[in-house]
Amino acid sequence: MVLYELPKPPYSYDALEPHIDKQTMEIHHLKHHQSYVDGLNNTLEEIGGTSHPKYITSILSDLKSIPESSRNKIQFFGGGYENHRLFWETMNPNGGGTPGGKLEDSIDVYFESFENFKEIFSNYSLGIQGSGWCWLVFNQTFNKIEIITTQNQDSPWSLNKIPLLGLDVWEHAYYLKYQNRRNEYVLSWWNVVNWDYVSNRFSELSH
Ligand code: MN3
């Protein structure tokens, strides 16, 4: 059977300092992300998942195909696996700035301006009660971008939406450095957003 492995961030643990500190990155990746990988593999094994599709996004897009007794676990661990994989990719020490190109054009269409988009996204992030994620997604049905939030490790893929950029607002993502100040974490995170990656992802999907 296909076993999922812990995806490696494309930079060192201290690369996102001072915005995201080394210790948080280490624990977040080696402990939290690893636990989602393990949970996903264990659950797939439980349900005899020898023929599950290679891509976790296919599973998350079709949770109904998972036996009901294991569905919540796949939703949680599979979502946690994929959400964090994307999270590492969408950050970069040389990030920040603006997306430019087609994505910025689209942001201007749906959110008036990039500054306005940032403010709305930040407010959604701060409004999440408990643990969850804030997302910029591509809605393929309507060929448009949207901001949505999900609880726990729920994935946009399960809502038939493709995540372009996600912000982890679980306390484990920021508490060591920012304690209860989620607003400072969100504000600082904009400095490490890898817009090149997000823009490329968008260009591949939209037409
Ligand atoms: Mn996390």
Side-chain angles (χ1 to χ4, degrees):
M1 92 174 228
V2 182
L3 275 182
Y4 290 93
E5 288 175 3
L6 182 65
K8 215 172 169 305
Y11 39 77
S12 61
Y13 291 126
D14 61 358
L16 304 179
E17 297 253 14
H19 308 292
I20 299 182
D21 61 290
K22 183 183 178 192
Q23 194 186 12
T24 297
M25 275 299 298
E26 258 171 3
I27 297 174
H28 201 173
H29 180 245
L30 293 172
K31 304 294 181 192
H32 291 281
H33 199 178
Q34 182 69 59
S35 74
Y36 301 121
V37 175
D38 295 343
L40 174 60
N41 285 329
N42 292 339
T43 311
L44 286 168
E45 206 167 6
E46 267 168 37
I47 57 177
T50 46
S51 62
H52 70 81
K54 187 174 176 188
Y55 298 106
I56 185 64
T57 50
S58 316
I59 302 178
L60 292 169
S61 302
D62 188 22
L63 286 172
K64 282 198 177 67
S65 67
I66 302 292
E68 217 176 325
S69 55
S70 299
R71 200 173 293 161
N72 286 345
K73 282 201 276 184
I74 293 289
Q75 183 170 2
F76 184 75
F77 293 122
Y81 164 83
E82 175 60 15
N83 294 344
H84 288 86
R85 189 198 63 73
L86 181 66
F87 189 49
W88 311 137
E89 294 292 337
T90 55
M91 294 191 288
N92 188 279
N94 304 312
T98 59
K102 264 175 73 174
L103 179 56
E104 191 158 337
D105 291 346
S106 196
I107 284 174
D108 288 345
V109 168
Y110 292 104
F111 303 101
E112 289 180 33
S113 67
F114 180 67
E115 281 312 308
N116 201 41
F117 159 77
K118 259 174 86 169
E119 196 180 322
I120 297 170
F121 190 102
S122 298
N123 286 338
Y124 269 65
S125 304
L126 298 176
I128 294 170
Q129 296 181 331
S131 298
W133 291 74
C134 188
W135 302 98
L136 173 66
V137 298
F138 183 64
N139 181 332
Q140 271 189 313
T141 314
F142 298 108
N143 197 38
K144 66 187 283 250
I145 52 171
E146 300 169 352
I147 298 173
I148 64 165
T149 62
T150 57
Q151 287 291 315
N152 302 312
Q153 295 296 351
D154 290 1
S155 163
W157 287 98
S158 306
L159 304 169
N160 209 14
K161 291 170 186 187
I162 301 174
L164 299 171
L165 172 68
L167 174 58
D168 187 346
V169 295
W170 282 56
E171 283 187 346
H172 70 223
Y174 63 88
Y175 205 84
L176 285 176
K177 182 177 169 75
Y178 297 97
Q179 291 84 47
N180 61 320
R181 302 184 305 277
R182 189 193 283 179
N183 59 328
E184 288 180 24
Y185 161 66
V186 172
L187 211 62
S188 209
W189 168 76
W190 289 111
N191 294 302
V192 291
V193 172
N194 184 351
W195 284 115
D196 286 345
Y197 182 90
V198 179
S199 293
N200 284 339
R201 204 169 156 83
F202 176 68
S203 295
E204 283 166 17
L205 293 167
S206 59
H207 37 80

